[in-house]
């Protein structure tokens, strides 16, 4: 692929801006300055540098963000900054979008991608991707609440009950819930439906992906090789 096209596809601005970065000697591959925008460069395994920062080439971008509280998943946030402001310019430029949403006050694992097919695949109710939530409750959790969460509760927008696939009690006021749907405010509404209230909510995993302990709130990392196929 032409070098200027590579930069363009990876979110480094307009075609003209990308050619400008190359002309200005700001792009390196393997430590060597690449100053020909028309140079043909293989993209397989490519890592290029722009202004000293290394960028792996990804035909489609998929990243994991440790969402902190105080950020909205919407692209047009109303009361708090968007999670997109936590990503570097090139990823924002590529139009990454969250795969599903977490509430403003929810923390934890959020995936973002520019791959529309993947968003559809991972958010479609048909696919039942399990997500694990660590829930801090206002009141002590009792066995009846756990039984009801597992048996299924009816929420106000759908007569079909929603149930937790797994509900583990973690301390007096904590539960770990595994859900396979992604309804609006689902954890908060399910917990309210059994007579308790969510005070803290953190997503610790999404499908087989677990939020790494060393990914600090507000930080992101690339995901490669997942999901398969
Ligand atoms: N359920 C909720 O209620 N909020 C979230 O952010 C995620 C799941």
């Amino acid at each position: 692929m032409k070098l200027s096209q590579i930069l363009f596809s990876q979110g480094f601005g307009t075609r003209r801006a990308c050619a400008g970065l190359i002309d200005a000697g700001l792009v390196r591959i393997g430590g060597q300055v690449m100053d020909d925008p028309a140079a043909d460069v293989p993209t397989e395994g490519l890592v290029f540098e722009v202004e000293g920062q290394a960028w792996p080439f990804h035909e489609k971008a998929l990243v994991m963000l440790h969402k902190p509280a105080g950020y909205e998943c919407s692209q047009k946030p109303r009361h708090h900054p968007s999670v997109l402001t936590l990503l570097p310019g090139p990823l924002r430029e590529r139009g990454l979008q969250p795969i599903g949403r977490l509430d403003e006050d929810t923390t934890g694992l959020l995936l973002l991608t520019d791959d529309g097919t993947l968003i559809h695949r991972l958010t479609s109710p048909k696919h039942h991707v399990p997500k694990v939530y660590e829930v801090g409750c206002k009141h002590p959790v009792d066995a009846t609440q756990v039984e009801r969460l597992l048996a299924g509760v009816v929420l106000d927008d759908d007569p079909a009950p929603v149930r937790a696939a797994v509900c583990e009690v973690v301390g007096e006021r904590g539960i770990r819930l595994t859900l396979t749907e992604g309804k609006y405010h689902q954890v908060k509404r399910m917990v309210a439906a059994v007579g308790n209230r969510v005070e803290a909510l953190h997503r610790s995993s999404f499908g087989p992906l677990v939020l790494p302990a060393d990914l600090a709130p507000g930080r992101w990392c690339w995901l490669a090789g997942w999901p398969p196929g």
Side-chain angles (χ1 to χ4, degrees), residues 101-103 106 133 183 185-189 201:
R101 289 189 175 192
L102 293 177
D103 297 335
T106 302
Y133 294 92
K183 288 177 180 281
H185 291 330
Q186 186 170 343
V187 174
K188 290 175 184 166
R189 292 195 295 152
L201 186 54

Side-chain angles (χ1 to χ4, degrees), residues 130-143:
K131 290 143 218 143
V132 179
Y133 294 92
E134 314 293 332
V135 188
C137 296
K138 182 172 169 112
H139 308 291
V141 177
D142 61 38

Side-chain angles (χ1 to χ4, degrees), residues 2 6 11 13 19 22 86 95 102 137 141 185 188 190 210 216 218:
K2 267 182 25 178
I6 290 177
I22 299 165
L86 297 166
L102 293 177
C137 296
V141 177
H185 291 330
K188 290 175 184 166
M190 286 178 74
V210 176

